[in-house]
Amino acid sequence: MFGDTYKNKRVLITGHTGFKGSWLTLWLTVLGAKVVGYALAPPTEPNHIECLNLDMETIEGDVKDGARLVSIFRQYRPEIVFHLAAQAIVRLSYRDPVETFMTNVMGDCKCPRSGTGDWHSAGDRQHRQR
């Protein structure tokens, strides 16, 4: 179905330690992708991503950290990005709605911007050079 679409492609997956992210990581690895995962540490032990024992690079980090994302994009130069990082636990969102907003909205804003290649990072303020 996908042929060699992902074979030997550099793929970055944010949120690879989550439920959907870990399955996507497995799938892409089987299809021959060179996967780099970027996510918070898994919240449980054992956890699915560690049980899979995949041949991949795992980087522990937070999608709200724009400067770190820029450095990850520059270092690994992904050809394809799957952005799955999110705070998806409903009860936690009620307990800490601001943190949920910061992760799910601001993390979304920072992840796509990191991959453009010509971003200037000044702390957490990033802007495109024109």
Side-chain angles (χ1 to χ4, degrees):
M1 180 162 138
F2 291 99
D4 288 339
T5 302
Y6 295 101
K7 189 169 183 67
N8 295 316
K9 295 285 187 192
R10 294 182 312 274
V11 178
L12 174 69
I13 303 174
T14 68
H16 74 290
T17 59
F19 178 77
K20 292 177 183 174
S22 61
W23 283 108
L24 177 61
T25 301
L26 172 63
W27 180 62
L28 290 171
T29 302
V30 168
L31 291 174
K34 298 174 183 172
V35 178
V36 173
Y38 182 82
L40 297 174
T44 62
E45 209 165 296
N47 56 73
H48 190 237
I49 195 70
E50 289 175 359
C51 289
L52 291 172
N53 196 30
L54 300 173
D55 181 22
M56 63 170 292
E57 179 91 20
T58 295
I59 301 162
E60 192 172 314
D62 194 323
V63 292
K64 297 183 306 262
D65 185 346
R68 178 97 191 274
L69 275 173
V70 168
S71 73
I72 296 301
F73 273 82
R74 285 183 178 150
Q75 179 180 353
Y76 292 95
R77 307 190 63 73
E79 299 168 274
I80 301 168
V81 177
F82 289 93
H83 177 47
L84 279 68
Q87 192 302 101
I89 302 168
V90 175
R91 286 185 186 213
L92 184 56
S93 73
Y94 289 137
R95 276 197 309 261
D96 197 347
V98 173
E99 182 65 19
T100 298
F101 176 85
M102 293 302 293
T103 299
N104 294 355
V105 177
M106 298 311 293
D108 284 354
C109 291
K110 292 178 184 200
C111 186
R113 293 174 50 173
S114 300
T116 61
D118 60 349
W119 289 92
H120 173 317
S121 177
D124 218 9
R125 295 175 298 155
Q126 299 165 352
H127 58 279
R128 186 176 182 116
Q129 309 233 336
R130 297 196 188 250

